[in-house]
Amino acid sequence: MIRKRREAGGQVRLMFAVNDERRVSLVCDRNDWMPEATPLKLRPNGTRSASLLVPEGTAVRFRYFAEDGEYYDDPQAGLEPNGLGGTHSVITA
């Protein structure tokens, strides 16, 4: 699930949440696709979540990366080719 919230100064907070028992990270063009940069934190309700603050109108390309090495897209976001024979998710703030 992805939610958007407008913040001060023309910024938008994108909030990413998944239902996954594994440790999961958000890998994206905003964090150089680094799995350790944006881990999703386990919440009391069992979901994992993280957020990014980006300028309004910014397109963010991303995937989720699970601890077992699986990459997966978000069904709520759009998809586009990733240049490696697969896809990645994309959402505009």
Side-chain angles (χ1 to χ4, degrees):
M1 175 177 70
I2 303 169
R3 293 185 312 172
K4 300 177 187 181
R5 184 175 68 214
R6 283 197 164 83
E7 302 278 342
Q11 300 286 305
V12 173
R13 183 166 305 279
L14 297 173
M15 294 162 281
F16 301 86
V18 298
N19 289 314
D20 199 320
E21 294 178 359
R22 304 170 292 181
R23 287 179 294 194
V24 177
S25 294
L26 178 71
V27 293
C28 65
D29 56 359
R30 304 295 293 184
N31 66 14
D32 292 326
W33 302 93
M34 304 289 289
E36 63 277 359
T38 312
L40 278 70
K41 295 179 182 167
L42 183 60
R43 302 297 177 197
N45 67 0
T47 63
R48 295 180 179 276
S49 65
S51 67
L52 291 176
L53 189 62
V54 297
E56 186 172 6
T58 299
V60 177
R61 288 155 182 84
F62 69 97
R63 297 194 90 188
Y64 299 112
F65 179 72
E67 67 183 325
D68 62 5
E70 178 190 3
Y71 286 90
Y72 59 97
D73 295 313
D74 192 307
Q76 188 179 348
L79 295 177
E80 65 182 24
N82 65 7
L84 303 171
T87 59
H88 55 239
S89 300
V90 62
I91 191 161
T92 302

